[in-house]
Amino acid sequence: MSKFLSRSSVIVCLVVLYRILLDYIYLSVTSVTWDYYGFIINAGRSSFWVSWMVLLALLYLVFPFFQKEAPFYPDILILVFIMRVVPFTTLLRFQDIPGRLTLLFFVFYALLFILAQVLKFKKIPLLRGGKKQTDLLLYLSAFFFIAIVVFISGFYAKFRLHFSLTDVYDLRQEAREFDIPTILKYLWAPATNVLPLVFVYFAHKRKVVVCLLIFAAILLNFSINGMKSTFFKLLICVAFGFVNIKNFKSYYLPGFVVLLVFTLAEGLLWDLHLLHDILVRRALLVPPLLDTYYYDYITQEGPLFYVRGEMRIQNIIGEVYFNDPETACNNGLFSDAYMNLGALGCIVYPVIYAFIFRICGSAFRGAEKGLVVFAALIMSYTFEGSELTTGLLTHGLFVFGIIMYLVSSKGCQNEVGRKKKKKVVNTRAGSLIVQDVRN
């Protein structure tokens, strides 16, 4: 199946189908029920053709990543294309988006895809110490984050346990009032991403007690602030960590197409829009809409150049475009680049992102494929919804990358160990054979 889905013609057909379905959902559902949010229809005469030209041009640039065997960076770039580029072209189809915004958006992603393809540097050396030392580091990492979660849960949330996913907003409101020191916030932030990763790692090693402790910490972590992603990340990591698929990349597009089909089906059959409101609108259509708002505001007021005032830019966007200063309109990638450096950011930031993605690709090359896909999903979603520095520090991606590096090094050591457990012996005919001497 993966060979069929990897064919060039199939990929193009899936991208076109994905875009058509997204267009139809925007026209029949999003613009009807969420027009007050900014999902309007006021397209110009050339919007249809421009949207498809931008899509096909960027598809041509991202196309080589569907065929690459390299770890991580092809996955994250394909996900960025599916989740950010295609939805923007849908918005471009139905809204009167300024030509300069379209040009800068195209330059940003074209440079990102080109640079990620052409950047060359030596591979990052993986840890070559003993497997016991690497295991020890992973044990220490797991127990460190467990301790952080237990301390915050006990000191601030009084060890409460919350099991419902529906009534979490009171928990979030209460958590905002916690006076947690900044350094402790930075130490706590990676726990949401790291704990699922080490859970799967130790589950593979059948360390039942450690896994139970990690799961208990994840439950406590969810009960602190009620963030649903705390549990969803565990489910996603377990799902990918134990699925043996040779080529994950070939299933990304079919997966998103299926999501849109189910979104349409629930509306037609049951008159429901749960998938639309929770996933399609929030994860696919809101970020490119925010790109247009950030562009409009920064074009009028000028780039921030990393200077922050009393009111965060995310809340300013909420106040100006949604009449609600409490709404934090967090956004990343193009919005991050343009709000900090203006048009120059559309050249500088693709270089930074391409470098980070290639570095991670080298550092994660020894990890299980499913865990690499989990890392690509987590990092793409985080970078798409936050500033670069916020994603690395506040959301803990930098620490998460270090833990992935340790897991990758452990996988590489196992592979080296398997190779060393073979010996060469002579046969009577004088030829050489390799015998497997593993116990």
Side-chain angles (χ1 to χ4, degrees), residues 15-45:
V15 170
V16 172
L17 177 60
Y18 176 56
R19 165 63 195 278
I20 291 173
L21 290 172
L22 199 57
D23 283 3
Y24 183 78
I25 289 173
Y26 184 95
L27 183 64
S28 61
V29 181
T30 314
S31 64
V32 174
T33 58
W34 293 89
D35 59 321
Y36 66 92
Y37 204 82
F39 294 110
I40 58 177
I41 296 178
N42 64 343
R45 292 182 178 180

Side-chain angles (χ1 to χ4, degrees), residues 355-388:
F355 182 77
I356 291 174
F357 295 163
R358 289 299 301 266
I359 286 289
C360 289
S362 178
F364 302 166
R365 66 183 183 272
E368 295 283 344
K369 291 182 179 179
L371 295 182
V372 172
V373 172
F374 173 71
L377 287 168
I378 293 299
M379 295 183 76
S380 64
Y381 183 77
T382 304
F383 281 136
E384 286 180 30
S386 64
E387 297 177 57
L388 175 62

